[in-house]
Amino acid sequence: MKMTFLRSVAAVSFGALIAVPAYATPDLANGKAIDKQKCYACHAKKSGFGNGDMIYTRSDGKVKSMADLKKMVALCNTELRLDLFPEDEVDVTAFLNQQFYKFKP
């Protein structure tokens, strides 16, 4: 009886591990390439100074946390129809965080 219970617990635990998706380490080079290709020009225009990086470092920025950064990248992707895959959003978020924001994950 005890062995059956342990097998059941082991089977459920193993099943839960399989169900959890494995996330790869973000690809910072891909995030940088996407930022330069799909984000920089729009941000340069929006900043009014021709510098797309200024939008990330302005004092009145909307992004105050890692959660805000993830939401903003997802919002831009959806609203501007950038056609980024979820893993691309992760890459862009990681790149922007490393380069500009420095939030702790």
Side-chain angles (χ1 to χ4, degrees):
M1 179 100 143
K2 188 175 183 180
M3 191 58 126
T4 305
F5 174 75
L6 291 176
R7 284 185 188 159
S8 297
V9 170
V12 169
S13 298
F14 182 71
L17 287 174
I18 291 174
V20 175
Y23 293 104
T25 303
D27 183 344
L28 297 174
N30 183 48
K32 181 178 182 176
I34 292 169
D35 177 59
K36 294 302 175 200
Q37 184 180 49
K38 296 193 174 202
C39 308
Y40 189 87
C42 179
H43 289 175
K45 185 176 179 181
K46 197 170 189 165
S47 77
F49 295 101
N51 181 343
D53 292 342
M54 289 179 71
I55 206 158
Y56 305 124
T57 58
R58 65 185 194 198
S59 60
D60 65 337
K62 297 176 185 177
V63 175
K64 306 289 185 199
S65 68
M66 189 62 157
D68 290 344
L69 180 56
K70 289 176 185 178
K71 287 179 199 170
M72 191 59 73
V73 170
L75 179 70
C76 286
N77 185 27
T78 301
E79 293 294 316
L80 301 174
R81 297 185 172 131
L82 299 177
D83 297 326
L84 301 179
F85 291 108
E87 50 276 8
D88 292 330
E89 286 186 16
V90 169
D91 295 346
V92 171
T93 300
F95 167 72
L96 294 177
N97 188 50
Q98 180 203 47
Q99 190 71 23
F100 301 104
Y101 295 105
K102 315 285 190 228
F103 297 127
K104 293 188 180 188

